[in-house]
């Protein structure tokens, strides 16, 4: 859709997004063209990114063995307080790494008004239900907060709040765009129709229906804010679910068709080639970190059982080094791959002479003892078969320099 608007030379002076829309809008606001976004996402398996799947070659040997013996991934553990589960099936670490990779030139305390395209992300405060409009801070941390679908993605702690998907409060942020000063709003409604009662055949479908009902209510409210000059696009996404990341091409094609259906109205907003070139040249790039920016201090905040020394040991960046986002992300990816952490994130804040690289590492909150599950099937192809249910227990004992883990099969059943 953005690619079509660019081809028509339609200037976008500000942009606001919710949920998956915040991902695309945030990358576009950071200065990436629509073609650059498409190229960056086309070269990877988006399902693997969304669901935190790592290549085996990137995993430590102990994690590889656990995943081979116990391939059923359920985030369950126990402690002296009893059995606990994670706050979401997916922690979103690979998505965070992807966003940091493409927005590494931006500081972690940037004002979103200072981006090449002013931007807002919409999230929901899970404690109050209030709509939260994110205006500044770490762009790659704000975006996942906007798309943390309850139950699927873990909530995101940001600025003293616990945030989940913004679609619950405002899935079509027309009001946010108008508050940013937009005279004409191009609103994109990607909502899907609610299902009939006889189509709700599982707990998951009922939960999705409830969330969909909440979203449809706030979308109707926002559509009422559209004026005569505004444009509403409704791409046909029937048959696509939120989790159909591997089918993103269908969504892109549907967006292009929606723009074509309103091309007469949209073309009235087009600039001449000369004006379009001047518009692109006039985008603000002052927010980007200068080449050769130095890291003056390194701060590590470790929450949980994993000691800060373990995180420091894994970081190659030291005070006085040039800020290199790629090196830092490689180090954080290595930490995440150990399976000891719920999430690890970084941000560079401050001004020249006092640039602080802050790394926050959260140990898995459902430990320190973790339950692992596996299911084995076998057959002699002569009518005899068996299955085995395996349950493992992985404990992590603290060491002075880090952690060590032992996996023990707890029980197995075969029939």
């Amino acid at each position: 859709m953005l690619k079509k608007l660019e081809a028509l030379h339609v200037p976008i002076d500000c942009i606001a997004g919710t949920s998956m829309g915040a991902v695309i809008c945030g990358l576009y606001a950071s200065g990436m063209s629509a073609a650059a976004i498409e190229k960056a996402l086309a070269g990877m398996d988006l399902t693997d990114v969304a669901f935190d799947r790592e290549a085996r070659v990137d995993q430590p040997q102990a994690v590889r063995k656990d995943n081979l013996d116990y391939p059923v991934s359920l985030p369950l553990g126990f402690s002296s307080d009893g059995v606990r589960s994670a706050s979401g099936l997916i922690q979103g670490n690979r998505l965070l790494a992807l966003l940091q990779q493409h927005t590494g030139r931006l500081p972690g305390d940037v004002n979103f008004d200072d981006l090449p395209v002013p931007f807002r992300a919409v999230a929901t405060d899970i404690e109050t239900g209030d709509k939260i409009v994110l205006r500044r801070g770490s762009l790659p941390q704000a975006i996942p907060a906007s798309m943390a679908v309850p139950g699927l993605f873990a909530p995101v702690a940001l600025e003293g709040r616990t945030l989940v998907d913004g679609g619950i409060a405002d899935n079509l942020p027309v009001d946010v765009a108008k508050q940013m000063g937009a005279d004409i709003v191009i609103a994109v409604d990607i909502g899907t129709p609610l299902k009939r009662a006889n189509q709700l055949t599982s707990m998951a479908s009922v939960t999705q229906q409830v969330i969909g009902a909440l979203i449809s209510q706030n979308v109707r409210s926002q559509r009422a804010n559209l004026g005569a000059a505004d444009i509403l696009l409704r791409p046909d996404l029937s048959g696509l679910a939120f989790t159909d990341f591997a089918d993103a091409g269908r969504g892109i094609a549907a967006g292009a068709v929606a723009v074509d259906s309103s091309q007469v109205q949209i073309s009235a907003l087009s600039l001449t080639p000369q004006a379009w070139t001047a518009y692109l040249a006039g985008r603000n790039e002052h927010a980007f970190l200068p080449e050769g920016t130095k890291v003056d201090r390194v701060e590590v905040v470790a929450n949980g059982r994993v000691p800060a020394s373990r995180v420091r040991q894994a970081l190659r960046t030291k005070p006085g080094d040039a800020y290199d986002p790629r090196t830092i992300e490689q180090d954080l990816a290595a930490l995440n791959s150990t399976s000891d952490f719920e999430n690890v994130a970084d941000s560079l804040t401050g001004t020249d002479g006092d640039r602080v690289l802050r790394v926050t590492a959260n140990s898995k909150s459902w430990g320190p003892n973790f339950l692992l599950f596996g299911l084995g099937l076998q057959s002699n192809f002569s009518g005899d078969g068996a299955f085995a249910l395996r349950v493992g227990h992985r404990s992590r004992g603290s060491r002075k320099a880090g952690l060590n883990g032992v996996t023990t099969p707890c029980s197995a059943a075969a029939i």
Side-chain angles (χ1 to χ4, degrees):
M1 192 169 291
L2 286 171
K3 194 173 180 180
K4 276 279 189 179
L5 293 177
E6 284 186 335
L8 292 171
H9 293 174
V10 175
I12 298 176
D13 299 306
C14 60
I15 194 165
T18 297
S19 198
M20 182 56 74
V23 177
I24 304 303
C25 292
L27 290 174
Y28 190 78
S30 74
M32 295 180 71
S33 67
I37 295 172
E38 185 176 14
K39 182 179 179 181
L41 300 183
M44 61 186 63
D45 189 325
L46 293 180
T47 302
D48 285 348
V49 172
F51 289 93
D52 275 348
R53 295 175 188 158
E54 286 184 295
R56 280 180 58 81
V57 70
D58 295 329
Q59 297 171 341
Q61 180 58 35
V63 175
R64 292 186 207 177
K65 187 176 187 310
D66 281 351
N67 290 342
L68 180 64
D69 294 340
Y70 305 98
V72 181
S73 179
L74 291 175
L76 289 175
F78 63 93
S79 66
S80 58
D81 296 327
V83 177
R84 298 186 62 184
S85 66
S87 55
L89 290 174
I90 304 164
Q91 305 309 309
N93 292 313
R94 287 203 62 187
L95 173 63
L96 179 62
L98 171 68
L99 295 170
Q100 289 177 320
Q101 174 186 343
H102 291 290
T103 62
R105 293 177 58 204
L106 292 167
D109 53 358
V110 66
N111 186 323
F112 295 169
D113 281 335
D114 294 333
L115 297 175
V117 179
F119 169 67
R120 298 287 186 271
V122 178
T124 304
D125 187 322
I126 198 170
E127 292 185 344
T128 65
D130 293 338
K131 176 174 74 176
I132 304 298
V133 180
L134 301 172
R135 296 176 169 85
R136 65 177 300 118
S138 168
L139 182 62
Q141 292 178 34
I143 292 171
S146 181
M147 64 168 293
V149 178
L152 182 60
F153 293 101
V156 176
L158 203 61
E159 298 180 357
R161 296 186 176 96
T162 303
L163 304 178
V164 295
D165 195 294
I168 298 171
D170 189 353
N171 201 48
L172 188 67
V174 174
D175 57 339
V176 175
K178 289 184 177 290
Q179 289 164 10
M180 294 175 73
D183 297 313
I184 299 174
V185 174
I186 300 176
V188 184
D189 179 6
I190 60 172
T192 54
L194 296 175
K195 296 180 179 179
R196 300 186 65 84
N198 60 6
Q199 296 175 298
L200 305 176
T201 57
S202 66
M203 289 186 291
S205 64
V206 172
T207 300
Q208 186 175 359
Q209 182 85 341
V210 172
I211 294 175
L214 291 172
I215 289 174
S216 64
Q217 290 177 16
N218 69 59
V219 166
R220 285 196 296 269
S221 174
Q222 289 298 323
R223 287 174 62 179
N225 290 328
L226 293 170
D230 298 325
I231 302 169
L232 175 64
L233 302 179
R234 302 189 69 188
D236 180 9
L237 301 179
S238 55
L240 281 178
F242 178 84
T243 53
D244 290 334
F245 300 102
D247 223 359
R250 284 179 57 196
I252 293 171
V257 171
V259 173
D260 289 340
S261 67
S262 299
Q263 186 163 339
V264 173
Q265 193 177 3
I266 291 174
S267 295
L269 307 175
S270 298
L271 299 177
T272 64
Q274 296 80 5
W276 175 252
T277 300
Y279 159 74
L280 294 178
R283 284 182 171 177
N284 182 18
E285 295 194 355
H286 299 305
F288 294 123
L289 293 166
E291 291 290 337
T293 295
K294 299 290 185 183
V295 175
D296 298 298
R297 290 186 287 136
V298 177
E299 293 183 359
V300 174
V301 179
N303 300 311
R305 293 176 61 85
V306 183
S309 58
R310 162 85 177 278
V311 180
R312 285 186 180 277
Q313 198 174 51
L315 292 174
R316 287 172 286 175
T317 302
K318 309 300 180 187
D321 290 348
Y323 176 63
D324 182 357
R326 183 175 296 274
T327 297
I328 295 169
E329 294 318 312
Q330 289 173 349
D331 294 342
L332 299 193
L335 280 170
N336 271 318
S337 71
T338 64
S339 198
D340 290 327
F341 297 95
E342 191 164 336
N343 51 64
V344 186
D346 73 283
S347 64
L348 184 72
T349 60
T351 57
D352 285 340
D354 190 29
R355 297 278 189 190
V356 181
L357 174 63
R358 182 173 289 103
V359 177
T360 303
N362 297 309
S363 303
K364 286 185 174 178
S365 58
W366 57 97
N369 303 292
F370 304 96
L371 296 174
L372 310 173
F373 302 91
L375 179 65
L377 302 172
Q378 64 182 24
S379 172
N380 61 8
F381 299 102
S382 298
D384 296 323
F387 74 87
L389 176 64
R390 293 170 55 85
V391 180
H393 161 231
R394 185 167 181 81
S395 62
R396 283 171 169 74
S398 60
R399 279 178 162 183
K400 187 173 182 180
L403 297 180
N404 111 19
V406 178
T407 304
T408 307
C410 294
S411 62
I415 296 177

